[in-house]
Amino acid sequence: MAGALLEVDGLTKRFGGFMALNRVTIHVNPGERFGLIGPNGSGKTTLINCVSGSLPADGGRIVFEGHDITSMPAHRRTRLGIVRSFQIPKPFRSMTVLENLGIPLENAAHGRAAEGAGAMEILGTIGLASKAHLRPAGLTQIEMRKLELARAMAARPKLLISDEAMAGLSSAEVDDILTILFRLSAQGITIIMIEHIMRAVMRFSERIVVLDAGERIAEGTPDEIGRNPAVEKAYLGE
Ligand SMILES: Nc1ncnc2c1ncn2[C@@H]1O[C@H](COP(=O)(O)OP(=O)(O)OP(=O)(O)O)[C@@H](O)[C@H]1O
Ligand SMILES: [Mg+2]
């Protein structure tokens, strides 16, 4: 597709003899809110690991803004603007919330994006400003998730990949994270949301791709995905 921000074409990833991703293709457009769903173990995080560069692909091609990044080291992909948040938050425990934004901000300043919001401004956008001087141990679960998003924002993403930022949160907290992600989207950031909370993905996404056992089984609008029998079958098998 011409003009896609991210093109993943025929991506294959094996762990030993196990095929975790089998020729998966996804294209994400600039500014899009994109949902990536699928049952546990379907390959969502593996796909993100290959896109961010933390795992090498075994086959296929990954193109970002027209550059082939298939073999590019992870830190260079980050500098191009591909930033992911982790399913399990990994803040620096000995640093305050504010200090946790320092390293990604510094890295971004050495690369593409010297200009942009400062650490306090990012914490404000994410709703964590009042916790700036706490250490991660003093945060609630949702505040930890927000810190993970704030650290991702400090790396100045063009493409933000959110891997299960909402797992284990209450319904009101899910809405809180959704509001933040909509706000980041409105700032022009392209977002891939990986999420098991169907209500949230359906509300957020303009387009959704479904993985099952390492294969892409469906793509469509939330409405189309909601009515797709193959998707229902994949989730029933869980
Ligand atoms: N480093 C690894 N070594 C071996 N197998 C792995 C590795 N990482 C993932 N897998 C396997 O690959 C498959 C896909 O895992 P992945 O974590 O990508 O799934 P997922 O869709 O993110 O699942 P979840 O919704 O539970 O987070 C699983 O069967 C998993 O056990
Ligand atoms: Mg996962």
Side-chain angles (χ1 to χ4, degrees):
M1 188 198 300
L5 181 68
L6 174 72
E7 302 169 57
V8 175
D9 285 310
L11 185 68
T12 292
K13 180 67 196 174
R14 293 181 206 87
F15 295 112
F18 175 74
M19 187 78 101
L21 293 171
N22 187 8
R23 285 176 290 169
V24 172
T25 292
I26 63 168
H27 289 185
V28 181
N29 296 317
E32 194 168 25
R33 298 189 306 274
F34 186 93
L36 180 62
I37 66 172
N40 289 118
S42 55
K44 304 179 297 295
T45 299
T46 302
L47 192 151
I48 285 342
N49 286 337
C50 291
V51 168
S52 67
S54 48
L55 280 178
D58 292 318
R61 209 163 80 104
I62 307 171
V63 175
F64 185 73
E65 288 194 310
H67 306 286
D68 188 326
I69 61 163
T70 316
S71 309
M72 186 181 277
H75 70 273
R76 285 189 51 209
R77 300 189 202 198
T78 308
R79 287 192 179 175
L80 285 181
I82 301 175
V83 178
R84 54 92 61 91
S85 70
F86 284 90
Q87 199 164 348
I88 298 162
K90 301 175 178 175
F92 297 104
R93 302 265 160 195
S94 62
M95 294 183 184
T96 65
V97 165
L98 187 64
E99 287 164 353
N100 257 283
L101 272 54
I103 292 168
L105 272 174
E106 178 108 340
N107 286 337
H110 286 302
R112 166 185 59 82
E115 306 289 312
M120 272 316 286
E121 198 177 329
I122 292 169
L123 290 179
T125 304
I126 305 287
L128 265 188
S130 66
K131 311 290 173 179
H133 301 293
L134 292 183
R135 279 178 217 289
L139 299 181
T140 63
Q141 189 184 22
I142 185 171
E143 288 164 354
M144 283 291 277
R145 300 293 173 74
K146 289 183 183 177
L147 173 56
E148 186 66 13
L149 287 176
R151 293 176 70 220
M153 285 306 296
R156 308 237 186 275
K158 288 181 186 168
L159 173 65
L160 172 66
I161 306 170
S162 164
D163 195 356
E164 297 203 37
M166 301 171 182
L169 300 182
S170 74
S171 173
E173 290 171 334
V174 165
D175 288 344
D176 193 359
I177 298 285
L178 261 180
T179 302
I180 292 167
L181 291 175
F182 271 113
R183 191 178 298 150
L184 301 181
S185 168
Q187 291 181 359
I189 296 165
T190 306
I191 300 181
I192 299 179
M193 175 190 282
I194 298 176
E195 200 53 66
H196 284 291
I197 301 170
M198 227 32 87
R199 172 179 77 83
V201 193
M202 293 291 183
R203 226 179 92 196
F204 183 76
S205 309
E206 295 165 294
R207 201 155 54 90
I208 295 174
V209 160
V210 187
L211 296 182
D212 184 32
E215 312 247 357
R216 185 180 114 142
I217 60 160
E219 171 178 350
T221 63
D223 269 0
E224 288 162 351
I225 294 300
R227 297 188 254 107
N228 185 320
V231 175
E232 193 180 346
K233 186 159 171 279
Y235 275 93
L236 284 176
E238 243 192 322

